[in-house]
Amino acid sequence: MRFRLLKKNFIAFLVILIVFIMLFYTIRRTKDETNVEVTEKEVSQTAIMVTFDYGTIENMRKSVYDSNYHQFIQNRDKFPLDPEVVVVVQVHNRPAYLKMLIQSLEKVTGIQNNLVIFSHDYFSEEISDMVKGIGFCKVLQIYFPYSIQLYPNEFPGQDPKDCPRDISKEDAVKKGCSNAEHPDSYGHYREASITQTKHHWWWKLHFVFERVRVLRGYNGFVVVIEEDNYLLPDFHEYFKSMAELRKTKCGDCDILAVGNHNGLSGFHELSSKTETAGWLSTKHNIGMGISRELYYKLMGCNHAFCTYDDYNWDWTLQSLSGTCISKPLKVLVARGSRVLHTGDCGLHQKEDCRPEKAQERVDEVLKEAQTALFPPALTLTDHGPVEHQPHMKNGGWGDVRDHTLCINYAARL
């Protein structure tokens, strides 16, 4: 009898102890989460501008980390409302073209209602000062932390122990270079300068949607452009009209492409026209509007994107459309482009850059197009379901180190 009583008391004590422990950890977890939310809110509201130190590589690495953590929003007090549209600019090292882009942004009607994020993979005072000089909208600068500028003699930069691009695998194995076992599909070894653009593009997407605190709760589109793009004055109003058109007439459209590669040819006739199509790298990689919904689809293909042997982010994206992403990506396209491509040199051509000629061409075509800007309404030609468009991969992305780093952006931003 006494044993039974002791046994019952012990069981009751054990139950009470378990309940107490569970309650303790629940309260502690709730408190921790609340503290994290408060801390993040405080950081967002009181973020300071980091003084970027260009003195040494180590100093630059620290400045990159600090800047990405503090996320100073330039002109926040001047433009306190939430953004209607977010524009993300991928910036390398073409300041003359970046200057043209910034000048075009200033002329966009409604630009004060945008947040413009400049994502850098090259760090210089000249470029930074250009962006700091912007006073017409909210601005955030973010910095790709795995830039080859920060790792000039080691991966993800070009390690001296890496294999030369054109050495055969047999000779590479004999030589004992570090990535001898991992050439691309065409037998070539990695070039750091070639791989960086795809790395930066994928990291930037992760960082903007997952880490930029001011965008928590933002459910609009993120428009991705590059430093050698030029926006037309009605870009903002036109993009908002496209977003509304998608809601009412193209609910299955995954992407909004406010730009194309046709320049302003036939602009008066095409200004108010849109159409649907299957997303193609060669046509729809300029002025892309990406929703959070599409971002999550892409993240479901993180491994496929990061291991596909093509150094181009856009050709890689086309390969996912209809394969890893089972339903091919459908895009709503502006037939009259609101984003122009001004760059006459870039990844593969580094000489004979003539930005002054590009500016002259832009001024000339804009003068002709002026009266066709700001159409009162848009029309849509829906071409129906789209199909997967396979292509031959370009290689340049066979090194498993690139695969691993790319995959890990989701966890180690």
Side-chain angles (χ1 to χ4, degrees):
M1 184 71 179
R2 184 179 296 172
F3 174 74
R4 288 181 182 175
L5 187 60
L6 288 171
K7 185 177 180 182
K8 286 181 180 179
N9 289 340
F10 176 74
I11 293 172
F13 173 76
L14 195 60
V15 169
I16 292 171
L17 182 63
I18 292 171
V19 170
F20 176 77
I21 291 172
M22 290 176 66
L23 184 61
F24 173 77
Y25 279 104
T26 301
I27 293 172
R28 183 175 178 180
R29 182 180 177 185
T30 303
K31 186 177 179 181
D32 288 345
E33 288 175 350
T34 302
N35 287 340
V36 168
E37 290 176 2
V38 171
T39 300
E40 289 178 343
K41 186 176 182 180
E42 288 174 350
V43 169
S44 178
Q45 292 179 345
T46 63
I48 60 172
M49 179 186 289
V50 173
T51 301
F52 205 101
D53 188 341
Y54 301 93
T56 66
I57 288 175
E58 285 302 322
N59 289 348
M60 282 197 292
R61 288 181 186 175
K62 185 178 185 305
S63 295
V64 164
Y65 176 86
D66 290 343
S67 299
N68 286 343
Y69 174 74
H70 284 287
Q71 297 180 19
F72 175 75
I73 306 295
Q74 183 176 320
N75 304 320
R76 184 172 192 157
D77 293 339
K78 189 176 179 181
F79 306 106
L81 299 180
D82 292 337
E84 294 177 357
V85 179
V86 175
V87 178
V88 180
V89 187
Q90 183 157 325
V91 184
H92 182 51
N93 185 24
R94 289 178 287 178
Y97 293 100
L98 178 61
K99 181 180 179 181
M100 289 172 58
L101 169 63
I102 292 173
Q103 290 172 344
S104 76
L105 283 167
E106 187 170 15
K107 296 173 185 176
V108 170
T109 299
I111 192 63
Q112 71 275 9
N113 300 317
N114 288 228
L115 168 65
V116 182
I117 301 175
F118 292 86
S119 183
H120 303 276
D121 61 32
Y122 184 84
F123 319 116
S124 78
E125 291 185 72
E126 179 185 13
I127 291 172
S128 180
D129 288 345
M130 275 187 192
V131 178
K132 288 177 183 176
I134 294 175
F136 49 78
C137 67
K138 282 190 292 192
V139 171
L140 170 63
Q141 297 194 68
I142 61 176
Y143 302 86
F144 179 47
Y146 303 100
S147 162
I148 60 177
Q149 186 184 4
L150 300 179
Y151 297 89
N153 299 308
E154 59 181 305
F155 179 85
Q158 200 72 41
D159 193 316
K161 298 188 290 294
D162 285 350
C163 303
R165 177 187 183 274
D166 296 321
I167 193 174
S168 69
K169 183 175 181 180
E170 182 181 359
D171 288 342
V173 171
K174 288 179 182 177
K175 184 177 181 179
C177 44
S178 59
N179 53 336
E181 297 294 335
H182 304 290
D184 68 9
S185 301
Y186 304 100
H188 300 301
Y189 289 95
R190 83 181 293 270
E191 296 174 274
S193 60
I194 297 296
T195 64
Q196 177 166 268
T197 301
K198 180 174 176 177
H199 274 296
H200 184 180
W201 195 86
W202 199 237
W203 173 87
K204 170 190 70 183
L205 213 59
H206 278 297
F207 196 88
V208 168
F209 279 101
E210 300 285 359
R211 294 291 187 267
V212 174
R213 289 183 292 273
V214 75
L215 293 183
R216 287 182 181 161
Y218 174 76
N219 292 314
F221 283 87
V222 170
V223 183
V224 291
I225 61 174
E226 298 183 10
E227 66 189 342
D228 63 347
N229 291 162
Y230 190 100
L231 304 190
L232 269 61
D234 66 346
F235 161 82
H236 176 74
E237 294 300 325
Y238 195 95
F239 188 83
K240 287 201 303 178
S241 297
M242 284 187 73
E244 287 300 315
L245 188 64
R246 175 182 178 266
K247 283 182 184 178
T248 57
K249 295 186 177 180
C250 195
D252 61 340
C253 285
D254 301 287
I255 299 171
L256 302 184
V258 73
N260 61 55
H261 290 283
N262 300 327
L264 296 184
S265 176
F267 187 77
H268 281 264
E269 178 188 350
L270 302 175
S271 176
S272 63
K273 295 181 179 180
T274 68
E275 64 180 356
T276 64
W279 194 87
L280 292 175
S281 165
T282 52
K283 292 184 176 182
H284 309 128
N285 64 349
I286 181 172
M288 283 175 54
I290 298 176
S291 66
R292 192 171 290 275
E293 179 184 6
L294 176 60
Y295 167 73
Y296 288 138
K297 285 184 182 180
L298 295 177
M299 291 312 102
C301 296
N302 188 36
H303 186 272
F305 182 95
C306 290
T307 57
Y308 185 73
D309 187 13
D310 196 314
Y311 66 92
N312 300 285
W313 66 263
D314 45 1
W315 283 112
T316 303
L317 186 58
Q318 184 175 322
S319 78
L320 301 182
S321 174
T323 54
C324 180
I325 300 174
S326 57
K327 185 180 178 183
L329 295 174
K330 187 174 182 179
V331 57
L332 176 60
V333 189
R335 295 191 64 192
S337 181
R338 263 57 188 184
V339 183
L340 302 179
H341 180 240
T342 58
D344 50 10
C345 60
L347 185 61
H348 300 292
Q349 181 181 337
K350 306 196 183 288
E351 298 178 355
D352 297 325
C353 299
R354 303 189 68 183
E356 68 284 352
K357 292 294 182 183
Q359 183 67 64
E360 289 176 9
R361 291 194 298 270
V362 167
D363 291 341
E364 184 178 339
V365 296
L366 267 181
K367 189 175 181 179
E368 295 178 5
Q370 200 70 32
T371 57
L373 297 173
F374 299 98
L378 304 185
T379 62
L380 169 64
T381 302
D382 192 334
H383 296 293
V386 299
E387 298 180 354
H388 172 59
Q389 298 287 338
H391 76 96
M392 183 177 293
K393 63 182 68 172
N394 292 297
W397 193 267
D399 198 306
V400 293
R401 295 173 299 175
D402 287 313
H403 301 172
T404 302
L405 177 59
C406 178
I407 289 169
N408 283 338
Y409 291 145
R412 53 187 291 186
L413 295 167

